[in-house]
Amino acid sequence: MSVYPIILSQADFTNRDSLTYPFEERGLQFGDGIYEVIRIYQGAYYLITEHVNRLFRSAEAIKIDLPFSRQEITSLLHDLLSQNEMTSDGIVYLQATRGSAPRNHAFPVDTPANVYAYVQDMPRKTKNLTNGVSAITKRDTRWENCYIKSLNLLPNVLAKQAAQENGSYEAILERDGKVTECSSSNVYLVKDGKIYTHPATNRILHGCVRMRVEQFAAGLNIPFVEQAFSIEDIADADEVFLSSSTSEVMPIVEVDGKKIAEGIPGKTTQMLQEAYEVDAGLVKQRI
Amino acid sequence: MSVYPIILSQADFTNRDSLTYPFEERGLQFGDGIYEVIRIYQGAYYLITEHVNRLFRSAEAIKIDLPFSRQEITSLLHDLLSQNEMTSDGIVYLQATRGSAPRNHAFPVDTPANVYAYVQDMPRKTKNLTNGVSAITKRDTRWENCYIKSLNLLPNVLAKQAAQENGSYEAILERDGKVTECSSSNVYLVKDGKIYTHPATNRILHGCVRMRVEQFAAGLNIPFVEQAFSIEDIADADEVFLSSSTSEVMPIVEVDGKKIAEGIPGKTTQMLQEAYEVDAGLVKQRI
């Protein structure tokens, strides 16, 4: 899963070994930047328009001037794939910081944003998609503006690490008695034929796959209810699942060591997985 | 205020122009690190023991293994000053990240922390210390663990920028109706001869100068009450001031465009400023 050799840096392409940053970089000293991870299937982007739009929303929210238009970055990202002759399943990681400048909290003047993007292989998680994964629950300690996809990811890092140390795939986060999302994915509960998830407020990332899940549900005539549930509700759930660009629609079959219903992926989740595969133009690859 | 030429990187000294970081750095991609800013007066550190101890508390809180003992980093920081023949007023900036590794939220294995420290000149803010500064108030949107001096500083950056755009020195942050601290300093209110400030919980940084202010107050027989106040309380305050390693004990004479009492630095603040100057071994330098 190494990084492909050609990297996008600003509007240029460079070799991965030649791209370095000075120690006075606002990403490195303040986490002062934003990012996107876009899924690639067989060398083609999935939901690239949605991701690029969100990048611009994040940039606007923290007032970073991106040095390109939506069309320009989209074109550069496509060039990045062709330059690397990328034809497999993978991701692109795209980041923009407020630039390199002497350390000072307030914005630097006349300092261009630093942008880079790189590609790496990432096979679909077919085994997890088929069998489901386990999760733990954790207190959501993040800041108030989780809708901004920023580089301030320390609480997410700590939650994911706690999950991993527990042998789990993800950490389901709870704030003020309500489940918000996971450390790097949105989360949903199915009960009595309805899908419940936290509303798209400032407390969660507005996932690109989450938007698609809402559409898939509409297409399947499954009510999609933007209403937060609690950790206690999980005990009575018929199904639980998560979604993200790297995890797709992923069944959660166990939370905090307790099985969800029968402890196997549920029917609603599987219908959404099939809708995802159709939407993303995927052949079924589950083992 | 440029960076002195010799920089501490890991346990070595290197030239500032040769220190760069790869794009897969956890500081740059997650803000996954911690830092300290230590005041230097006439080439000597002030409160270095307190800062080094806090660095280790921050590291422990987010489980970063620092590659040195307290004694070792203290010795290296002293070497940094002598190598640069630093004899003026300034600061050292010291940072430790979880290292450089392929991007993944969970901790990388067998990856050493990346540590660097550099020195720069920073004269005392004598004019502001004498005349006081203005502040605005802002909602505290940060995460729950502000006692960790982490690199996740985006909300602090946005608050400081808002203050600066308003022509103010700092932003006083409010959460759940209570003033916590400022974007990069602790804040205090004086009323009827008592000093009030937010208790040293996880909601504020436990400032090294804040600890000293508490001691100065004890020496001056001024009650130091760790009890949060509200923005409404500020309107009736006798004095307001802030403290930090770079701002020392700084009078706030105006908040949101309204004068505090007479709009000049108060007597209690001035007594604390004098105690600070004695403690830091400073000759009075105010203009």
Side-chain angles (χ1 to χ4, degrees):
Chain A
M1 304 225 240
S2 62
V3 170
Y4 276 63
I6 299 169
I7 291 187
L8 176 68
S9 172
Q10 310 300 61
D12 297 318
F13 294 95
T14 185
N15 188 277
R16 67 180 164 212
D17 301 320
S18 68
L19 180 63
T20 60
Y21 285 97
F23 56 89
E24 288 182 304
E25 217 288 333
R26 293 184 64 90
L28 188 61
Q29 297 191 315
F30 296 103
D32 190 6
I34 53 176
Y35 75 104
E36 286 292 330
V37 174
I38 312 177
R39 200 57 163 116
I40 299 164
Y41 291 120
Q42 297 175 37
Y45 290 115
Y46 177 53
L47 306 180
I48 186 169
T49 307
E50 289 79 355
H51 284 282
V52 168
N53 283 339
R54 187 172 61 188
L55 183 78
F56 276 78
R57 285 201 304 276
S58 294
E60 189 183 356
I62 68 167
K63 298 177 187 167
I64 284 184
D65 285 326
L66 295 175
F68 41 65
S69 68
R70 286 166 170 76
Q71 290 72 21
E72 285 163 348
I73 187 62
T74 302
S75 174
L76 288 167
L77 289 174
H78 282 295
D79 291 348
L80 180 63
L81 291 193
S82 29
Q83 295 238 6
N84 281 296
E85 298 178 3
M86 206 283 188
T87 58
S88 53
D89 292 349
I91 56 162
V92 66
Y93 177 82
L94 166 64
Q95 166 174 316
T97 70
R98 208 180 303 277
S100 302
R103 186 178 185 277
N104 185 23
H105 280 68
F107 301 172
V109 290
D110 297 333
T111 302
N114 277 334
V115 179
Y116 70 82
Y118 60 85
V119 179
Q120 62 187 85
D121 282 339
M122 186 180 287
R124 297 184 65 202
K125 300 174 180 181
T126 47
K127 193 172 171 186
N128 288 334
L129 289 168
T130 303
N131 300 334
V133 296
S134 66
I136 60 169
T137 56
K138 289 278 289 179
R139 184 179 172 86
D140 188 347
T141 64
R142 298 174 303 160
W143 74 322
E144 283 190 2
N145 295 310
C146 299
Y147 74 98
I148 301 168
K149 200 164 175 73
S150 89
L151 302 178
N152 272 215
L153 290 170
L154 182 52
N156 309 64
V157 162
L158 297 175
K160 185 75 93 183
Q161 175 67 14
Q164 189 167 302
E165 288 177 5
N166 191 272
S168 287
Y169 185 85
E170 255 288 25
I172 297 173
L173 305 178
E174 180 200 41
R175 191 190 309 232
D176 297 339
K178 299 292 180 189
V179 167
T180 50
E181 58 185 328
C182 295
S183 77
S184 66
S185 51
N186 293 120
V187 67
Y188 314 77
L189 179 152
V190 181
K191 180 71 179 173
D192 298 334
K194 292 180 185 171
I195 299 168
Y196 295 87
T197 197
H198 195 287
T201 65
N202 62 339
R203 291 203 164 185
I204 68 164
L205 188 76
H206 304 184
C208 295
V209 178
R210 180 186 183 281
M211 282 191 276
R212 274 301 204 264
V213 165
E214 181 170 8
Q215 293 169 15
F216 301 154
L220 292 162
N221 284 317
I222 305 168
F224 184 88
V225 187
E226 290 191 283
Q227 178 185 308
F229 54 91
S230 68
I231 287 181
E232 292 68 43
D233 293 331
I234 291 176
D236 294 324
D238 297 327
E239 305 176 31
V240 178
F241 65 94
L242 60 81
S243 75
S244 81
S245 291
T246 54
S247 295
E248 305 182 1
V249 175
M250 178 75 74
I252 297 176
V253 296
E254 186 184 300
V255 175
D256 287 338
K258 290 177 203 127
K259 283 182 184 175
I260 304 300
E262 304 298 312
I264 56 171
K267 290 276 178 280
T268 302
T269 306
Q270 287 172 331
M271 285 192 287
L272 294 167
Q273 287 182 307
E274 283 165 21
Y276 180 97
E277 289 180 336
V278 170
D279 192 61
L282 296 167
V283 181
K284 275 207 179 196
Q285 294 180 337
R286 287 192 238 146
I287 56 170
Chain B
M1 304 227 240
S2 63
V3 170
Y4 276 63
I6 300 170
I7 290 187
L8 177 67
S9 173
Q10 309 301 60
D12 297 317
F13 293 95
T14 186
N15 188 277
R16 67 180 165 212
D17 301 320
S18 67
L19 180 63
T20 59
Y21 285 96
F23 57 90
E24 288 182 303
E25 217 287 333
R26 294 185 65 89
L28 187 61
Q29 296 190 316
F30 296 103
D32 190 6
I34 53 176
Y35 75 104
E36 286 291 329
V37 174
I38 312 177
R39 200 55 164 116
I40 298 165
Y41 291 120
Q42 296 176 36
Y45 290 114
Y46 178 52
L47 306 180
I48 186 169
T49 306
E50 289 78 355
H51 284 283
V52 168
N53 284 339
R54 187 172 61 190
L55 183 79
F56 276 78
R57 286 200 302 276
S58 295
E60 189 183 355
I62 69 168
K63 299 177 185 167
I64 285 185
D65 285 326
L66 294 176
F68 42 64
S69 67
R70 286 167 170 75
Q71 289 73 21
E72 283 163 350
I73 187 61
T74 302
S75 174
L76 288 167
L77 289 174
H78 281 296
D79 291 348
L80 181 64
L81 290 193
S82 32
Q83 295 238 7
N84 282 295
E85 298 178 359
M86 206 283 188
T87 57
S88 53
D89 292 350
I91 56 161
V92 66
Y93 177 81
L94 166 65
Q95 165 174 315
T97 71
R98 208 180 304 277
S100 301
R103 187 178 185 279
N104 185 23
H105 280 69
F107 301 171
V109 290
D110 297 332
T111 302
N114 277 334
V115 179
Y116 70 81
Y118 60 84
V119 179
Q120 62 186 84
D121 282 338
M122 185 179 287
R124 297 184 66 201
K125 301 174 179 179
T126 47
K127 192 173 172 185
N128 288 334
L129 289 168
T130 302
N131 299 334
V133 297
S134 66
I136 61 168
T137 57
K138 288 279 288 179
R139 184 180 172 87
D140 188 346
T141 63
R142 298 173 303 160
W143 73 322
E144 285 192 0
N145 294 311
C146 299
Y147 74 98
I148 301 169
K149 200 165 174 76
S150 89
L151 302 177
N152 272 216
L153 290 171
L154 181 53
N156 308 63
V157 161
L158 297 174
K160 184 77 92 183
Q161 176 67 14
Q164 189 166 302
E165 287 177 5
N166 190 272
S168 288
Y169 185 84
E170 255 289 25
I172 297 173
L173 305 179
E174 179 199 42
R175 191 189 310 232
D176 298 338
K178 298 293 179 188
V179 168
T180 50
E181 58 185 331
C182 295
S183 77
S184 66
S185 51
N186 293 120
V187 67
Y188 314 77
L189 178 153
V190 180
K191 181 70 179 174
D192 297 334
K194 293 179 185 171
I195 300 168
Y196 295 87
T197 197
H198 195 286
T201 65
N202 62 340
R203 292 202 163 186
I204 68 164
L205 187 76
H206 304 183
C208 295
V209 178
R210 179 186 184 280
M211 283 191 277
R212 273 303 204 263
V213 166
E214 181 170 8
Q215 294 169 14
F216 300 155
L220 292 162
N221 285 315
I222 305 169
F224 185 88
V225 187
E226 289 191 283
Q227 180 185 307
F229 54 90
S230 69
I231 287 180
E232 291 69 41
D233 292 332
I234 292 175
D236 293 323
D238 297 327
E239 305 177 28
V240 178
F241 65 93
L242 60 83
S243 75
S244 81
S245 290
T246 54
S247 295
E248 306 182 1
V249 175
M250 178 75 74
I252 298 177
V253 296
E254 186 184 300
V255 175
D256 288 337
K258 290 177 205 127
K259 283 183 186 175
I260 304 300
E262 304 298 311
I264 56 171
K267 289 275 177 281
T268 303
T269 305
Q270 287 174 329
M271 285 192 287
L272 294 168
Q273 287 182 306
E274 284 164 22
Y276 180 96
E277 290 182 334
V278 169
D279 191 61
L282 297 167
V283 181
K284 277 206 178 196
Q285 295 179 338
R286 290 192 235 142
I287 56 169

